[in-house]
Amino acid sequence: MVVHDRYEIERLIGSGGMADVWLANDLHLPRRVALKILHERFARDPEFIERFRREAEAAAALQQPNIVPIFDRGQVEDTYYIAMAYLDGRTLRDLINIGLTPSESVAIIRQVLEAAGFAHQHGVVHRDFKPLNVIVDFAGVVTVTDFGIARAGISEITETGSVMGTAHYLSPEQAQGLEVGPVSDLYSIGVMLYECLTGRVPFEGDSAVAVALKQMQEDPLPPSAWNPSVSPALDAVVLKALSRDPFERYPDAASFIDALDAAELEPEVVPEPEPESKKWIWIVIALGIILGLLAVYGLTRDNTVEVPRVVGDDLDTAISRLSADGFSVGTVDRVQRDVPKDQVISQDPVGETSRDCKFLGFFCSDPGVDLTASAGPGQSAVPDLTGQTRTAAETALDKAGFGVTVETTPSDDVETDLVIGTDPPAGTEVRRGSTVTLIVSSGPKQIKVPPVVGLTQGAARQQISARGLQSNSTEETSDRPKGEVISQSPDAGSKVGAGTIVELVVSSGPQEAEKVAVPAVVGSTQAEAESAIRNAGLTPSVEDQTTDIQPQDGRVIDQNPTGGNKIDRGAQVVIKVGVFDPGNSGGVP
């Protein structure tokens, strides 16, 4: 397929909720492009199309090394497309699945912030920062995509009643449908940095609403709770970027970058030393007395405590249970085990243990609990499932230890319900337990049959052919003008496969009446005449005619039309039948 007489489609390289992305060859210039084609349901909304046009123009004006170049936009069939540079690399999602070090994570996010900062300076807010929209080439250069759905200036987040963006990466204000500005993008980038460092997003939930509620009501655990190699300074940078209050976040991308640079230079956060207080002798004496009295109390009370057993719990549940009982979590170690990821394998201490007491046993605190959790069963290569049935492929992925989601896409080459490919692609090493998307064929692309009733046969054939369909026609008499289409099958609006034959019934014009010869019935009896006229396909009409000639009584003495004339079948033939009346002859018998 060639789009707009310029872009020759090669293959599908991605699919999302708004659009499909195809790899195409530019027939005008020697380059490959990524062609993003909107789903038809968005293309039917005039307001969305106008916004799409404005936003494509705004994105095309962003010329920066970390922003994907936009080459062209236009219309194809019943929808619209954007042509952008094709990027040879891996998505940040792929790299997160493989695993990143803190320094690699910071290097990537710094470049994402460079792109965001440039866009913000030009009045463009991205609104949909997420790992799938970030491409990293094999030299480590980062490119941000999908500025085509950004909006110049402060954005209206709700469109047709829905919130734009991906739930885990939306800022709290964006999830509530409030005004969105640059700091909302910085929140989303903070979520990506958190995921790069820990392999998980800061808030999980069973639905988008559940995630949004956690974002608005809870503070995330510091990344070091999941990855001990994250420094305290980097923890602080991430948590500031994820502040619920937009005014408590970094005011711009440059400030975020500066904070990352500072965290790399001074990874340890050192508290300032407290000034020494002057001590008067009488204060010392008084304190000594007080401490002595308190020591008696502290040394004689029971300082043991029961630590709840959380082995077997999910890590989040375990931390919540311990926190609710007043215990802090110390270190969290991860080891690979054939148990669900994040399940607690061991803890120290457990059961009855002594509290941590200072100052002669008076000031005590519950001990910190060190946890060991499962890192999951390790990594495995995504199997090649191309050509398998959807059911067989889902079974194979389940046996390999992966979660499964399914996306369907039309294909003229692959039969319905057979697998076209996977995301990540076959052979990619990813963590077992992560989700693999099956891309399954929904069969040949369905085409809407155009309405052609009322058109001339030639015009109808042109419209059908332009849609990639064929036509066949038969004629039928009708009161419509000759050559006009009077019916079609399949009906207009039906969806059919490419090459389907549309049957047309074309008017041959009104039917001409059949001519028949009038029989000569003068001299016949009335019954004989009526029978002959009916047998000829005509209608007899009888009129009496008095006569003074007795042999004419009961016989046809005149007819109209006369015998031998040709008239329309079914027309009337008037016969006059003699009725003898002697009085007409002056009494002669």
Side-chain angles (χ1 to χ4, degrees):
M1 179 180 177
V2 177
V3 174
H4 219 204
D5 296 326
R6 177 169 182 174
Y7 303 107
E8 183 179 42
I9 298 294
E10 186 173 314
R11 61 183 170 86
L12 182 70
I13 56 177
S15 186
M18 290 178 55
D20 293 326
V21 182
W22 300 81
L23 176 60
N25 293 309
D26 189 337
L27 301 180
H28 292 186
L29 296 171
R31 65 186 178 191
R32 305 174 92 191
V33 300
L35 205 63
K36 186 166 188 175
I37 301 179
L38 277 179
H39 293 321
E40 286 190 8
R41 65 180 180 275
F42 293 107
R44 291 193 291 267
D45 185 345
E47 292 184 6
F48 191 95
I49 295 306
E50 176 59 21
R51 192 182 78 219
F52 182 79
R53 182 190 66 78
R54 294 195 309 266
E55 292 168 357
E57 290 176 353
L62 298 177
Q63 302 295 319
Q64 198 269 349
N66 300 115
I67 297 177
V68 64
I70 303 296
F71 298 144
D72 188 16
R73 65 174 176 83
Q75 182 174 359
V76 52
E77 293 188 355
D78 294 330
T79 188
Y80 298 82
Y81 70 86
I82 292 176
M84 63 189 78
Y86 171 67
L87 304 171
D88 188 11
R90 293 176 292 187
T91 67
L92 183 54
R93 164 63 54 228
D94 296 331
L95 297 179
I96 290 172
N97 288 338
I98 294 171
L100 294 166
T101 66
S103 60
E104 289 170 338
S105 302
V106 170
I108 290 171
I109 295 302
R110 185 184 282 110
Q111 295 181 67
V112 174
L113 287 166
E114 294 285 359
F118 184 86
H120 296 163
Q121 290 170 7
H122 288 77
V124 176
V125 180
H126 189 287
R127 298 190 303 159
D128 195 26
F129 276 108
K130 57 187 177 183
L132 285 175
N133 288 340
V134 176
I135 306 296
V136 183
D137 69 14
F138 295 98
V141 176
V142 172
T143 306
V144 179
T145 68
D146 259 10
F147 275 94
I149 67 165
R151 193 175 189 84
I154 297 300
S155 171
E156 297 173 1
I157 291 304
T158 53
E159 295 292 343
T160 63
S162 66
V163 179
M164 306 290 288
T166 305
H168 292 98
Y169 304 94
L170 293 181
S171 64
E173 65 270 17
Q174 191 172 1
Q176 297 176 74
L178 303 177
E179 284 189 348
V180 172
V183 292
S184 300
D185 279 351
L186 299 185
Y187 181 95
S188 301
I189 296 172
V191 176
M192 289 198 297
L193 177 55
Y194 191 104
E195 192 174 8
C196 288
L197 294 169
T198 66
R200 59 187 292 148
V201 290
F203 299 105
E204 293 280 8
D206 295 332
S207 66
V209 174
V211 173
L213 287 174
K214 287 187 175 182
Q215 289 174 323
M216 291 184 285
Q217 298 173 358
E218 300 179 13
D219 292 324
L221 288 171
S224 60
W226 309 105
N227 182 359
S229 64
V230 177
S231 69
L234 190 52
D235 269 344
V237 173
V238 175
L239 295 178
K240 181 176 178 64
L242 297 180
S243 297
R244 291 195 295 270
D245 185 347
F247 294 101
E248 293 181 1
R249 299 175 202 149
Y250 295 105
D252 50 45
S255 300
F256 200 156
I257 293 171
D258 290 342
L260 289 174
D261 293 341
E264 286 195 311
L265 290 173
E266 298 183 30
E268 297 298 329
V269 176
V270 182
E272 294 182 3
E274 295 184 3
E276 291 210 2
S277 303
K278 293 183 178 180
K279 301 176 179 65
W280 301 97
I281 294 176
W282 64 271
I283 296 176
V284 172
I285 296 172
L287 287 176
I289 296 171
I290 294 171
L291 288 174
L293 294 172
L294 293 177
V296 174
Y297 172 78
L299 291 172
T300 57
R301 69 171 181 168
D302 182 11
N303 287 324
T304 61
V305 68
E306 186 75 20
V307 179
R309 181 180 176 84
V310 294
V311 173
D313 288 352
D314 174 81
L315 186 57
D316 285 343
T317 303
I319 293 172
S320 296
R321 284 184 58 197
L322 290 169
S323 298
D325 287 349
F327 297 94
S328 62
V329 175
T331 62
V332 178
D333 293 328
R334 292 178 175 275
V335 293
Q336 288 188 355
R337 291 289 188 274
D338 289 327
V339 296
K341 183 182 177 183
D342 292 336
Q343 180 175 313
V344 178
I345 300 170
S346 65
Q347 67 179 89
D348 182 31
V350 63
E352 187 173 274
T353 189
S354 297
R355 304 175 78 201
D356 184 17
C357 296
K358 296 183 175 69
F359 297 104
L360 302 177
F362 186 79
F363 296 104
C364 298
S365 61
D366 292 335
V369 182
D370 297 329
L371 302 177
T372 302
S374 170
Q379 292 189 332
S380 183
V382 177
D384 187 358
L385 305 171
T386 304
Q388 294 191 23
T389 65
R390 170 178 173 171
T391 301
E394 287 178 327
T395 301
L397 287 173
D398 183 68
K399 288 183 177 179
F402 296 108
V404 185
T405 60
V406 178
E407 290 183 5
T408 58
T409 187
S411 174
D412 294 329
D413 302 320
V414 181
E415 294 180 10
T416 302
D417 212 42
L418 295 186
V419 175
I420 299 172
T422 57
D423 182 22
T428 304
E429 290 282 338
V430 295
R431 281 196 292 266
R432 288 193 289 270
S434 58
T435 299
V436 174
T437 300
L438 279 176
I439 302 170
V440 178
S441 170
S442 59
K445 182 179 180 181
Q446 297 292 291
I447 299 172
K448 284 185 181 179
V449 177
V452 296
V453 173
L455 302 180
T456 64
Q457 182 177 354
R461 285 183 179 275
Q462 285 181 353
Q463 286 210 16
I464 291 169
S465 176
R467 297 290 180 96
L469 305 174
Q470 302 182 55
S471 61
N472 193 19
S473 62
T474 57
E475 289 192 343
E476 184 176 298
T477 57
S478 165
D479 59 353
R480 302 302 302 163
K482 184 175 181 179
E484 181 177 307
V485 177
I486 56 177
S487 69
Q488 67 179 91
S489 178
D491 293 335
S494 301
K495 289 192 173 182
V496 298
T500 298
I501 296 176
V502 180
E503 297 288 346
L504 306 177
V505 178
V506 181
S507 173
S508 60
Q511 183 176 6
E512 294 184 2
E514 183 183 357
K515 300 290 186 179
V516 296
V518 179
V521 294
V522 173
S524 302
T525 66
Q526 178 178 342
E528 292 171 341
E530 288 185 17
S531 177
I533 292 169
R534 288 194 180 95
N535 289 340
L538 301 170
T539 304
S541 176
V542 181
E543 295 181 2
D544 291 337
Q545 176 73 51
T546 57
T547 178
D548 58 358
I549 302 174
Q550 188 170 6
Q552 292 181 336
D553 187 38
R555 292 184 177 274
V556 177
I557 59 177
D558 196 8
Q559 72 178 85
N560 184 28
T562 57
N565 286 319
K566 287 193 173 184
I567 61 176
D568 292 343
R569 177 181 291 275
Q572 281 191 345
V573 176
V574 179
I575 56 174
K576 295 186 178 181
V577 179
V579 178
F580 178 64
D581 183 3
N584 286 339
S585 59
V588 178

